[in-house]
Amino acid sequence: MASWAESELRKAIKADQFVCHFQPKVDLRTGAVLGFEVLSRWNHPQHGLISPGSFIPILEKTGLSHAFATRMLRKVFAEARDFLPPSLSVSVNISPPQMLGGSLPAMVQRASEEEGFPLHRLVLEITESALLDDLDRARASAKGLKSLGVRLSIDDFGTGYSSLHHLQVLPFDEIKIDMSFVRSVLHERESRKIVAALVGLGHSLGMITVAEGVEETAQAAMLISMGCDHGQGWLYGKPAPASELTNMIAPPSGKGSGHRIDCPNARETCANLESYPAQRLAQLQAIYDGAPVGLCFVDSRMRFVSINERLAALHGRTVPEHLGRNVGEIVPDVFEQIKPHLQRALEGESIQDLEVRIPGASPSDAGRVLLATYQPARDEAGEVVGVCVAVVDISARKQMEEALRRSEAYLKAVFNAVPVGIMIADVSDGRIIAANRQAAKILRRPLDAEGMPNAFDQWLAPGAAGQQLEPSEYPIARALLRGESIHNEELLCERADGSWAWVSLSARPIVGRDGHVEGSAVTLRELDELSRTNDSRTERLPS
Ligand code: C2E
Ligand code: CA
Ligand code: CA
């Protein structure tokens, strides 16, 4: 970098060799152009465009910065007035000597009047270091500028030494997060933490946060997800002369959509992100509080970061009693049960439907059964930072299941104990779906479903000897097929060993909810020769 002599710079100011380049500042989420930052260039007759880094420090050291700033400001106002739509703001960098000099507000006011540029469109950017030297004087300048309607921005934020005190006593509207953090935001966790902290700080003080030096869409996406408001950088546009900005500030195509830089990534990110972190938090809180399940978030050291009322109540404590405390401390009686699962979730595994049994306090207390889900939560870089826990109390369901199981067992006992054969038949083909012990005995078949007949002709006498009849052709099968009731019909049933038994058969259709006959409940009583009454039987013994 060349070092310029004071005399050369003095001549350059006089010869009006400094030019303004404008770089767009956009709304990160929509890509809407909000304004431009002016970055000076020295249009050197021999060396061409020279960047400000090589002449601004010399101007500041030699006391020329006031003359430079006065000329630049008028030039900026004139160009902005002529080239930019009135809705767009203009940010101008101010050297520390100006900020501390005392004449800045008057100079700004005069330039604005002479060039006809309203000061509500002006943002002045001041680096942190400018504040350090003399806070009182900086405060006096800031007050004067604010009273003119100028907005103030703190530049290169995060790199200097400004304390929270500076932010508190100086009326800044905006903080610009230094590009060194933006550059590493994708790769360094520390940078992400710093950016998140700066965004949080800015928002908590009611300031807009602007990220400088955004070059990649992935950086923009990350910044959006962290709640940063505005952005500047090559992704949206390089600094350029006002006359070359037309494509960026061409009238918008859609009605009222404003000047927009199309950044597909921002739109994608915003589709997944309905609101700013503060609103998201409020929404999450509402979901949390209203959820019909117990919810909590546990950090990587198994401490409660948040918990909803429902789960807190399930633990028999208040919400604040949980916060910051270890899971083992809050639920010692189940911690050993859940610890290995929590650990696995912290290693990135999603754990579904874990049954957790909480022992009862007394022998008469059955305790409770909870169904828990552990979902690892990851940060922007995919690292697990904690576990989301959802818990449902399924004690009532478990009790019901148990009661059902018991009544089923009773019914089964009764089913098998009655001295009458009972079978459930599928009416479509005569398959026996279930049978009690007595039915198995009559048919001389094993009790299991496989051992039971799976067609009418395996248990109902098919008709006269040698006759091959379809089920629809023998009367009892036909009645069963139609879902009819049958009352004490005497007939022959075929046994597994091929022999035949006289039985008295009754049946009742089992009708489903839709009125459709789903099956038939069949009862069988074995008859001996003497107890047979009906000689005009429809079914006959095959010879
Ligand atoms: P700054 O205010 O922090 O401006 C941002 C610098 O980053 C500019 O450098 C800009 O061209 C550059 N930049 C913008 N987007 C990107 C990006 O995506 N990637 C990278 N790598 N760089 C980007 P520039 O124009 O060389 O200005 C350097 C510094 O000079 C400015 O830093 C500002 O502090 C100072 N400056 C510029 N113009 C003026 C002026 O008129 N008055 C005063 N007092 N200082 C000025
Ligand atoms: Ca700046
Ligand atoms: Ca900066």
Side-chain angles (χ1 to χ4, degrees), residues 50 494 521:
I50 294 169
E494 187 172 4

Side-chain angles (χ1 to χ4, degrees), residues 37-39 91-94 125-127 153 155-156 176 212 232:
E37 177 179 358
V38 179
L39 294 155
S91 298
V92 174
N93 292 284
I94 286 295
E125 298 193 359
I126 300 134
T127 54
S153 172
D155 208 350
D156 301 341
K176 297 191 81 171
E212 299 184 315
Q232 241 179 287

Side-chain angles (χ1 to χ4, degrees), residues 66 119 163 278 293 348:
H66 186 72
L119 290 178
S163 66
V293 291

Side-chain angles (χ1 to χ4, degrees), residues 98-113:
Q98 257 80 64
M99 191 62 188
L100 304 178
S103 58
L104 185 63
M107 186 260 267
V108 168
Q109 190 175 20
R110 202 172 321 119
S112 129
E113 283 166 4

Side-chain angles (χ1 to χ4, degrees), residues 17-57:
Q17 287 172 357
F18 293 99
V19 295
C20 307
H21 281 195
F22 293 78
Q23 185 180 35
K25 177 166 81 176
V26 307
D27 182 324
L28 279 172
R29 292 153 58 82
T30 61
V33 179
L34 305 165
F36 287 86
E37 177 179 358
V38 179
L39 294 155
S40 302
R41 306 283 180 258
W42 179 3
N43 193 5
H44 195 283
Q46 278 91 48
H47 304 286
L49 284 183
I50 294 169
S51 61
S54 64
F55 62 83
I56 295 284

Side-chain angles (χ1 to χ4, degrees), residues 297-301 345-346 375-378 383-388:
F297 185 82
V298 172
D299 72 6
S300 56
R301 287 160 65 186
L346 283 170
Q375 188 62 38
R378 297 169 190 276
E383 224 170 292
V384 177
V385 290
V387 176
C388 264

